[in-house]
Amino acid sequence: MSSSNLLKIRPTEHFSADLTVPGDKSISHRAAIIAGLANGPCLISNYLASEDCLNTLRAMERLGVSCEYSKANQDGPMEVMVHGTSMGLSSPSSTIDCGNSGTGMRLLAGILAGQKFESTLTGDDSLCSRPMGRIIKPLERMGAQLEATGKTEGCAPLVFQGRALNSIHYIMPVASAQVKSAVLLAGLFAQGKTTVEQPSETRDHTERMLSDFGIQLGFEGNKISIEGGQIPKATNLDVPGDISSAAFWLVAAAAREGSRLKIRKVGLNPTRTAVVNVLLRMGAKIQETATSQGEGEPTGDLEVHGSELHGTDISGKEIPNLIDEIPILAVAGALARGTMTIRDAGELRVKESDRIRTVVDNLLAMGANVTEHDDGMTIKGGVNLHGASLDCFGDHRIAMAFSIAGLFAEGETVILNTECIATSYPGFEEDLRTVGGIRP
């Protein structure tokens, strides 16, 4: 990322490009954790070398997991050899820092809840302001002894005393892949069968990866069960490109008539492709070509041809599998004809920033017609955007979404404090240059 910690973006005309996006963030987190519990060495290819995912690897190293890293270049893909501990983690000598990663903290909480030693998870100011009650409640029901010691009730640092866990049947009040995953990972260390029942489908990377590592799971409707005491069998993984990172370029190409973009080797897990479905609903021309078959994570290529987009309604059960992409879809709504309405997305208030407020404020600053709601927003598209100086409030997805908006705005758009982009997308600036948004 730019050493000046800001991006200056100029409008671009139609473009033609082929891109590969970095490895999937959600999958990389899970690969580091589950490989660290396996019964031997595991080679993870295309691991996302972002700050968030590196912090999860460092956390596993603090717990006694040995890792060997190799990387072709500064922003390129990384290979990691993780030497699993056969579920035998070690007591850390000091606090484990998760940085800015809510995913890392919540998944690590699942495995730390059932250890025999004491441990503490902390993070930066943003992470320590995000609520952790949704994972604390089920873990306490399993017998975990943990305390949220942050300045705000229910927030990190999380202190674990170390206790034996019991199995439970947990009915999730809100659909959340992170909560589901934390309980399933804790279930590996519990006595008996742990069952999670989700109100609607959420991203299933944890289940797929546990199965890849030979863990037996039970499925019945929206119920997923795991027997405690199983040890993951060492295996090698190739992490696909992150569809959430690809979403920025999908919108950039789809909304610019005459543009052509191909994104190669991206993850096409059906619990993650809601963003593609929404864009198709908006009139985008996207072709999908599968390149992998069978078990594990489906991958493939996406080719986009620019066209005129129109607004749509986003709400209800599709929100959980779309939550990370809403900022860039809001930008798509501002670029489209007609009205886009986003509702039932109140969870955006407690992300890296209050994403409802930051999206609305930045769209207004660029001249868009947008109205804020408690759980979303209404955007009336078709208004010409203009450049502005925008703060991303330390939120990587806000920074990248409004970088894309800048490609369509009259004049120069300046995004401030862009160092946060490194938490999920090293190399974003170079790809922005490829599509013409940054010029010499």
Side-chain angles (χ1 to χ4, degrees):
M1 193 49 53
S2 173
S3 59
S4 61
N5 292 335
L6 59 83
L7 288 173
K8 294 181 178 180
I9 298 143
R10 302 292 299 178
T12 183
E13 297 300 323
H14 59 81
F15 60 88
S16 180
D18 284 30
L19 295 176
T20 57
V21 292
D24 189 282
K25 188 168 179 250
S26 296
I27 296 172
S28 294
H29 281 300
R30 288 159 172 81
I33 292 171
I34 298 173
L37 302 176
N39 64 356
C42 308
L43 180 64
I44 307 172
S45 302
N46 201 37
Y47 189 88
L48 176 59
S50 72
E51 279 303 306
D52 276 5
C53 294
L54 290 174
N55 278 329
T56 297
L57 274 175
R58 293 175 190 129
M60 295 305 293
E61 288 179 310
R62 300 294 297 279
L63 294 167
V65 177
S66 174
C67 300
E68 301 164 28
Y69 304 76
S70 61
K71 202 156 179 269
N73 57 65
Q74 181 179 354
D75 292 326
M78 185 170 70
E79 284 193 344
V80 188
M81 180 66 78
V82 179
H83 295 271
T85 62
S86 295
M87 301 276 285
L89 300 177
S90 304
S91 175
S93 58
S94 59
T95 297
I96 295 172
D97 188 351
C98 299
N100 188 246
S101 178
T103 301
M105 177 171 282
R106 293 183 179 103
L107 300 188
L108 288 165
I111 65 171
L112 290 178
Q115 303 306 313
K116 297 177 182 178
F117 49 76
E118 296 181 9
S119 58
T120 300
L121 291 175
T122 192
D124 63 15
D125 289 344
S126 169
L127 181 53
C128 288
S129 69
R130 285 180 244 165
M132 294 291 154
R134 282 192 293 179
I135 60 164
I136 291 173
K137 183 177 180 181
L139 293 176
E140 286 183 334
R141 280 190 52 191
M142 297 179 77
Q145 185 173 339
L146 69 153
E147 183 180 3
T149 62
K151 297 176 183 177
T152 304
E153 183 178 357
C155 293
L158 302 180
V159 179
F160 299 81
Q161 297 301 328
R163 291 289 186 274
L165 299 183
N166 306 307
S167 58
I168 60 169
H169 182 152
Y170 185 61
I171 301 174
M172 294 168 52
V174 177
S176 167
Q178 292 179 3
V179 174
K180 172 183 67 175
S181 299
V183 175
L184 290 174
L185 289 171
L188 277 177
F189 294 92
Q191 295 289 327
K193 182 171 74 172
T194 295
T195 300
V196 180
E197 187 171 346
Q198 48 187 356
S200 59
E201 185 181 49
T202 60
R203 57 180 64 179
D204 63 357
H205 300 306
T206 300
E207 299 97 295
R208 287 176 182 267
M209 191 172 296
L210 286 169
S211 296
D212 286 343
F213 279 85
I215 298 297
Q216 298 297 310
L217 300 171
F219 297 91
E220 182 184 351
N222 281 340
K223 301 176 186 176
I224 305 143
S225 300
I226 188 168
E227 289 281 351
Q230 300 183 72
I231 298 177
K233 297 178 177 63
T235 190
N236 297 333
L237 297 172
D238 189 6
V239 179
D242 196 322
I243 188 73
S244 294
S245 296
F248 301 104
W249 310 117
L250 294 179
V251 169
R256 177 69 75 191
E257 291 192 58
S259 288
R260 182 209 65 88
L261 173 70
K262 190 165 191 175
I263 302 179
R264 301 183 184 278
K265 293 183 65 177
V266 68
L268 296 177
N269 184 312
T271 65
R272 290 287 299 283
T273 52
V275 63
V276 176
N277 298 333
V278 170
L279 287 172
L280 289 171
R281 208 160 71 217
M282 295 178 71
K285 298 177 180 178
I286 304 175
Q287 294 178 317
E288 177 183 311
T289 304
T291 56
S292 71
Q293 303 291 337
E295 297 180 358
E297 292 286 346
T299 61
D301 300 337
L302 293 174
E303 185 162 346
V304 189
H305 291 269
S307 60
E308 183 175 271
L309 302 181
H310 53 78
T312 188
D313 292 336
I314 303 172
S315 63
K317 290 187 176 181
E318 72 179 340
I319 290 291
N321 290 331
L322 199 62
I323 200 75
D324 288 338
E325 291 77 53
I326 287 178
I328 186 58
L329 285 173
V331 170
L335 300 173
R337 297 290 177 183
T339 300
M340 171 179 280
T341 302
I342 300 169
R343 302 306 295 254
D344 305 317
E347 184 183 342
L348 289 172
R349 297 273 187 199
V350 291
K351 291 292 187 177
E352 285 84 337
S353 67
D354 177 344
R355 284 183 178 162
I356 294 175
R357 174 61 53 82
T358 52
V359 167
V360 168
D361 285 354
N362 283 346
L363 282 177
L364 289 172
M366 298 185 80
N369 185 339
V370 55
T371 303
E372 180 177 343
H373 309 302
D374 288 345
D375 63 346
M377 66 197 75
T378 298
I379 306 161
K380 294 183 179 179
V383 178
N384 291 332
L385 301 182
H386 57 73
S389 180
L390 305 174
D391 195 332
C392 62
F393 301 94
D395 190 327
H396 56 124
R397 298 202 192 278
I398 299 300
M400 290 186 281
F402 284 92
S403 295
I404 301 305
L407 299 177
F408 295 84
E410 182 179 347
E412 184 177 74
T413 300
V414 179
I415 313 292
L416 305 173
N417 301 316
T418 56
E419 62 271 15
C420 59
I421 294 176
T423 64
S424 70
Y425 197 151
F428 177 80
E429 183 175 338
E430 187 58 37
D431 288 344
L432 193 60
R433 186 173 284 107
T434 297
V435 303
I438 300 176
R439 298 168 199 170

